Amino acid sequence: MSDTADMGMVVRAAGAPEAMEWSALDTGAPGSGEVRLVQRAIGVNFIDTYFRSGLYPWPSTPLIPGAEAAGVVADVGEGVTEFKAGDRVAYTLPLGAYRTQRVVPAERLISLPDAIAFDVAASVMLKGLTAQFLLTACYPVKAGDTVLVHAAAGGVGLLLGQWLRILGARSIGTAGSPEKVAMAKANGYDHVIDYRAEDFVARVKEITGAKGCDVVYDSVGKDTWRGSLKSLRPLGMFVHFGQSSGMIADFKFSELASGGSLFATRPMLFDYIKSRADLTARAADLFGRLASGEIKAHVGQRVALQDAATAHRALESRRTMGATVLLP
Ligand code: NDP
């Protein structure tokens, strides 16, 4: 390990992207059940900005952001039999991925198929597993369902569009510029609405002949949630899985009644991959589809790890398409 710098992005006080400082670390040896990795690519997720800014409470102080990465096993701790030095692996969670090397529990690692490059793996461990659980477990989408997805040209959004096409759903995406609309259309969506230029509720009504959608996957939150509820059919499902525009503060249960006995959930990926069996089964589904070419990962931005602030600024100001990956 001596030839690999031990560095990472550390946040000592919550704040703007500049709060992340390139700092020397002391990773140490893996303990029992743990593995030490040399990281080759790290995924950037919107959730990283929630932690950095202080919107989400930190598990410990200081914070090292980051929730997905891929790399090579350097050495393993006592009791680890599934992995050995030199193995190519990836993980999502625990937090702390913005660093050159790190120790993670072996039970959180997935072996990477040879066909999957490190940057691709680092861009899909969190985003791709999210697409997988949203469509198969949170609300299992069936052929013929009508599905609305916000931020369809985003990291999770582009994966959802391709997957919905495979499932035989009718998909409607929203995106924030003509370029993003084109990108979402090229990634499976049947209809894409520029929701900065058009009223998406009216357009969904038109597209569905006023029937409404079976399910809405809403990761934008504050700016879209009311319109999302209005875009559902009676007994439809509102899946609120993120808040890129800000937290929903004024939701009332009675709105589910007035919308037509709607259902709503606020899922978190971690609860769907808590057991090793769930993690490996969902990852096998995802990586099988990636390896066969059925689903393609889109790494839209590649940024040096020490320039993570640049990546956060771009993500928070809606300037990215697809996934962003940090390179140590
Ligand atoms: P994205 O690439 O989707 O980036 C966020 C997008 O949100 C932007 O590109 C933008 O797209 C849209 N957006 C709308 N309004 C705003 C605003 N005011 N500020 C910034 N962006 C805005 O990010 P990710 O793929 O990393 O994540 C997508 C969402 O999924 C996030 O909300 C994230 O928290 C959530 N998530 C939730 C998980 C869970 O377990 N619950 C797991 C993984 C992700 P446009 O310009 O087209 O509007």
Side-chain angles (χ1 to χ4, degrees), residues 26-323:
D26 184 9
T27 296
S32 174
E34 293 180 332
V35 167
R36 179 160 52 177
L37 306 181
V38 172
Q39 304 208 115
R40 293 289 177 78
I42 299 149
V44 175
N45 289 279
F46 218 92
I47 196 173
D48 305 346
T49 71
Y50 304 150
F51 279 105
R52 189 215 70 228
S53 70
L55 181 71
Y56 282 5
W58 295 2
S60 57
T61 303
L63 173 79
I64 297 180
E68 64 180 344
V72 177
V73 174
D75 47 6
V76 304
E78 199 188 314
V80 175
T81 52
E82 207 180 327
F83 301 99
K84 59 178 187 326
D87 285 355
R88 300 170 76 251
V89 294
Y91 65 89
T92 175
L93 299 169
L95 285 186
Y98 285 13
R99 54 195 297 166
T100 54
Q101 49 177 289
R102 105 171 267 206
V103 168
V104 286
E107 60 154 31
R108 291 283 98 193
L109 291 178
I110 295 294
S111 289
L112 278 187
D114 289 341
I116 309 286
F118 289 118
D119 57 351
V120 166
S123 77
V124 298
M125 275 306 290
L126 195 150
K127 292 178 260 303
L129 288 175
T130 297
Q132 202 279 348
F133 94 83
L134 287 175
L135 300 181
T136 66
C138 188
Y139 172 95
V141 171
K142 308 175 296 300
D145 277 351
T146 301
V147 179
L148 175 62
V149 176
H150 292 303
V156 177
L158 289 181
L159 296 166
L160 287 172
Q162 298 175 69
W163 211 311
L164 284 166
R165 168 137 305 184
I166 295 164
L167 294 173
R170 173 164 64 155
S171 57
I172 307 171
T174 62
S177 69
E179 201 188 0
K180 289 186 175 189
V181 167
M183 184 71 166
K185 274 193 184 145
N187 280 273
Y189 289 95
D190 296 312
H191 306 269
V192 186
I193 304 164
D194 182 341
Y195 58 176
R196 294 178 97 169
E198 291 182 280
D199 173 356
F200 78 83
V201 179
R203 288 279 289 117
V204 167
K205 203 167 176 184
E206 195 181 294
I207 292 164
T208 64
K211 281 195 180 137
C213 301
D214 297 286
V215 55
V216 179
Y217 293 103
D218 188 335
S219 66
V220 173
K222 184 160 77 70
D223 292 350
T224 48
W225 73 273
R226 278 184 198 281
S228 293
L229 294 186
K230 286 186 193 147
S231 301
L232 284 166
R233 65 159 168 78
L235 274 64
M237 171 68 99
F238 173 56
V239 180
H240 168 44
F241 72 102
Q243 57 265 319
S244 57
S245 69
M247 287 268 195
I248 299 175
D250 46 354
F251 169 80
K252 293 193 201 70
F253 267 94
S254 55
E255 316 210 31
L256 298 179
S258 53
S261 302
L262 302 175
F263 294 86
T265 180
R266 178 59 176 93
M268 292 297 285
L269 168 64
F270 185 65
D271 292 311
Y272 287 81
I273 54 167
K274 223 170 206 165
S275 73
R276 176 128 187 99
D278 279 342
L279 172 66
T280 53
R282 296 196 189 289
D285 186 13
L286 171 67
F287 283 111
R289 291 174 192 276
L290 284 162
S292 71
E294 216 181 345
I295 288 179
K296 288 190 172 48
H298 288 277
V299 181
Q301 298 74 217
R302 288 180 177 75
V303 178
L305 172 58
Q306 55 268 53
D307 294 333
T310 306
H312 277 213
R313 265 184 236 112
L315 190 60
E316 288 175 294
S317 58
R318 306 173 78 163
R319 280 183 280 122
T320 61
M321 287 203 283

